[in-house]
Amino acid sequence: MNNLEEIERSIIKKFRSKIYRKFIRAVKDFELISEGDSICCCISGGKDSFLLAKCMQELKIHSKYKFALKFLVMDPGYSEEHLNKIKKNLDILNIDATIFKSNIFDEIKDSSSPCYLCARKRRGNLYATAKEMGCNKIALGHHFDDVIETILLNVLYAGCYKTMMPKLKSKNFAGMELIRPMYYIKEDDIKSWVRYNNLGFIDCACGVTKKNLGKRLEVKNLIKEFRKTYDNIDINILNSSKNVYIDSILSYKDKDGIHDVLSDYEDIYEEE
């Protein structure tokens, strides 16, 4: 299809319930955008960040409050083929983005934790450049599946309960904040939008990742198996992060330190 008007219409019409409504819900639920914000929408070149960019454009048009919107592409060491693909998609989708170069792929190639290191270095570069552009927030394209996979990764492989937060303040860049407006949008619905509009985007272009897909793919496949037995199991994984019963866990950590079952035992009673 590749018709800009049809692509944009599909987000707010055909995919309204699966994509745009969930996008708006996350913005409202987590108060991700405020009047006067200057938001830098970060585009990696994949389907998720490009859809985020189009949703942000729609929101800017239809929103009752005003905010500035800029687009940023970081080239961490893409091949010429990948970079040209990104530029072509920017043209197809009518996105005016700033492209800047970094050397992250070279910097992480010998790391024992390349994906973790890449994410940290990307974040730092994006924060710094977005701040130079006069922005106070960066928007990333993490979606629903990224969130629930993170929960299970932490439970199964790190032995802790942590989720991917919908927004975070930066420790290293004063006044900057990260937001994830696609928090409720499922990856399968993003893929459906891509197929419907006959679009094509790059996957992870990192050679290190292709050699070592890591535990996230295992968890992704595990969730697929779970869904075969119970449709709403993925929703329940997310909802578990909203329904934590402090009196029914062995310990938890907060800014004041560790609280365990013994220290709080005087206030814990059996349910009648």
Side-chain angles (χ1 to χ4, degrees):
M1 189 177 294
N2 280 350
N3 179 284
L4 178 62
E5 186 177 344
E6 291 297 324
I7 291 170
E8 293 175 341
R9 184 183 295 115
S10 72
I11 295 173
I12 59 175
K13 294 293 185 181
K14 181 175 178 60
F15 292 94
R16 187 174 189 84
S17 63
K18 296 290 184 67
I19 290 179
Y20 195 64
R21 191 173 292 163
K22 290 183 177 180
F23 169 80
I24 295 298
R25 198 178 107 207
V27 170
K28 290 181 178 178
D29 282 359
F30 303 116
E31 300 179 354
L32 300 183
I33 301 174
S34 302
E35 181 82 25
D37 276 342
S38 182
I39 300 172
C40 181
C41 183
C42 302
I43 300 173
S44 66
K47 65 186 189 312
D48 309 326
S49 59
F50 266 111
L51 176 58
L52 170 64
K54 295 308 295 180
C55 287
M56 292 295 291
Q57 283 181 334
E58 289 295 331
L59 180 62
K60 183 169 173 56
I61 293 170
H62 301 292
S63 176
K64 294 180 180 178
Y65 46 85
K66 294 182 179 181
F67 64 91
L69 181 60
K70 300 178 182 179
F71 300 97
L72 183 63
V73 176
M74 180 179 66
D75 173 10
Y78 290 139
S79 66
E80 185 176 353
E81 178 186 0
H82 281 129
L83 192 57
N84 286 337
K85 181 69 172 177
I86 292 172
K87 291 177 180 178
K88 180 181 177 181
N89 281 322
L90 290 171
D91 288 338
I92 290 171
L93 296 173
N94 190 31
I95 299 170
D96 182 15
T98 297
I99 301 176
F100 76 100
K101 177 77 174 175
S102 72
N103 297 307
I104 290 176
F105 284 172
D106 286 339
E107 293 170 2
I108 67 167
K109 63 183 179 182
D110 297 322
S111 170
S112 59
S113 302
C115 294
Y116 171 76
L117 185 60
C118 181
R120 287 197 62 183
K121 286 181 173 290
R122 279 175 180 262
R123 193 80 47 84
N125 276 272
L126 290 171
Y127 270 131
T129 307
K131 192 167 187 177
E132 289 175 3
M133 294 168 63
C135 297
N136 66 308
K137 292 180 179 178
I138 62 172
L140 303 184
H142 296 115
H143 49 65
F144 174 89
D145 292 77
D146 292 322
V147 178
I148 63 173
E149 288 163 16
T150 297
I151 292 172
L152 287 190
L153 277 167
N154 281 316
V155 170
L156 297 176
Y157 295 112
C160 66
Y161 190 93
K162 292 169 64 179
T163 188
M164 179 181 283
M165 299 298 285
K167 64 179 182 179
L168 291 165
K169 294 179 181 179
S170 172
K171 288 184 178 179
N172 299 321
F173 296 87
M176 296 293 293
E177 191 174 355
L178 176 157
I179 60 173
R180 295 183 169 108
M182 293 175 61
Y183 204 81
Y184 291 140
I185 301 175
K186 294 189 177 184
E187 185 174 26
D188 282 347
D189 294 323
I190 300 174
K191 291 178 179 178
S192 294
W193 174 77
V194 171
R195 288 193 298 268
Y196 178 79
N197 289 292
N198 193 30
L199 295 167
F201 301 106
I202 68 169
D203 294 320
C204 181
C206 173
V208 175
T209 302
K210 289 181 178 179
K211 294 176 184 177
N212 179 22
L213 293 175
K215 298 300 182 183
R216 185 167 287 273
L217 181 60
E218 292 181 17
V219 169
K220 185 183 289 289
N221 291 331
L222 183 63
I223 293 171
K224 285 182 181 178
E225 291 300 312
F226 286 159
R227 282 171 171 151
K228 292 178 182 178
T229 61
Y230 183 49
D231 287 343
N232 288 331
I233 200 162
D234 51 1
I235 300 293
N236 285 343
I237 295 173
L238 177 62
N239 286 343
S240 69
S241 66
K242 301 178 182 180
N243 296 295
V244 178
Y245 290 80
I246 297 297
D247 290 347
S248 297
I249 59 176
L250 297 180
S251 70
Y252 65 93
K253 297 179 182 179
D254 61 19
K255 61 183 180 180
D256 296 321
I258 298 175
H259 308 264
D260 61 29
V261 65
L262 295 180
S263 61
D264 294 335
Y265 187 67
E266 292 301 320
D267 298 319
I268 300 175
Y269 295 89
E270 180 183 5
E271 292 186 10
E272 297 295 338

